[in-house]
């Protein structure tokens, strides 16, 4: 039997970013991969990227999937997004290295 802690860990485990698009992978993995390729994107932009990878599905299906997955991930705090009317999501990757330096400890 799962404890409440295990249920929490299942729901809020760190987000895995796949290294490539895989039609056999989970829908969430493919949405995250598409977002990673775009860096900052709205749900329709992610859907358009998904349509490039999988042109067999209609764009409207990709749009529905992208909106649902991105909203779920945002609500769990696993991805970031702004508060604009058309939310732009991102994976919060560090793209620019820290230019500062550490003070010596001793």
């Amino acid at each position: 039997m799962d404890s409440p802690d295990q249920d929490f860990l299942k729901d809020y485990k760190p987000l895995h970013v796949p290294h490539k698009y895989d039609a056999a992978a989970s829908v969430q993995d493919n949405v995250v991969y598409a977002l990673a390729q775009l860096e900052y994107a709205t749900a329709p932009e992610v859907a358009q990227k998904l349509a490039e990878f999988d042109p067999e599905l209609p764009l409207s299906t990709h749009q529905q999937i992208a909106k649902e997955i991105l909203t779920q991930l945002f609500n769990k705090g696993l991805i970031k997004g702004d508060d604009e009317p058309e939310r732009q999501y991102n994976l919060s990757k560090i793209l620019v290295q820290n230019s500062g330096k550490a003070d010596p400890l001793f």
Side-chain angles (χ1 to χ4, degrees):
M1 179 181 235
D2 288 343
S3 74
D5 288 342
Q6 289 173 333
D7 290 340
F8 178 84
L9 290 175
K10 284 180 190 175
D11 287 340
Y12 293 94
K13 66 182 177 184
L15 194 60
H16 167 72
V17 179
H19 68 283
K20 67 177 185 168
Y21 181 87
D22 183 3
S26 72
V27 175
Q28 177 176 309
D29 281 351
N30 288 333
V31 169
V32 169
Y33 176 76
L35 179 58
Q37 295 303 302
L38 297 167
E39 294 182 14
Y40 294 93
T42 62
E45 291 169 338
V46 171
Q48 186 64 43
K49 191 68 167 174
L50 288 170
E52 291 175 21
F53 296 129
D54 186 6
E56 307 240 344
L57 285 177
L59 182 59
S60 60
T61 303
H62 287 300
Q63 289 173 334
Q64 179 182 2
I65 290 169
K67 184 176 181 178
E68 288 176 13
I69 297 292
L70 292 170
T71 300
Q72 289 173 0
L73 294 173
F74 177 79
N75 289 340
K76 287 183 178 180
L78 297 174
I79 61 174
K80 289 190 177 180
D82 58 23
D83 291 329
E84 300 297 319
E86 185 67 40
R87 179 171 284 141
Q88 196 173 33
Y89 299 96
N90 70 74
L91 294 174
S92 303
K93 295 188 296 185
I94 297 172
L95 301 174
V96 179
Q97 72 183 31
N98 185 350
S99 61
K101 60 181 180 179
D103 292 331
L105 294 175
F106 302 102

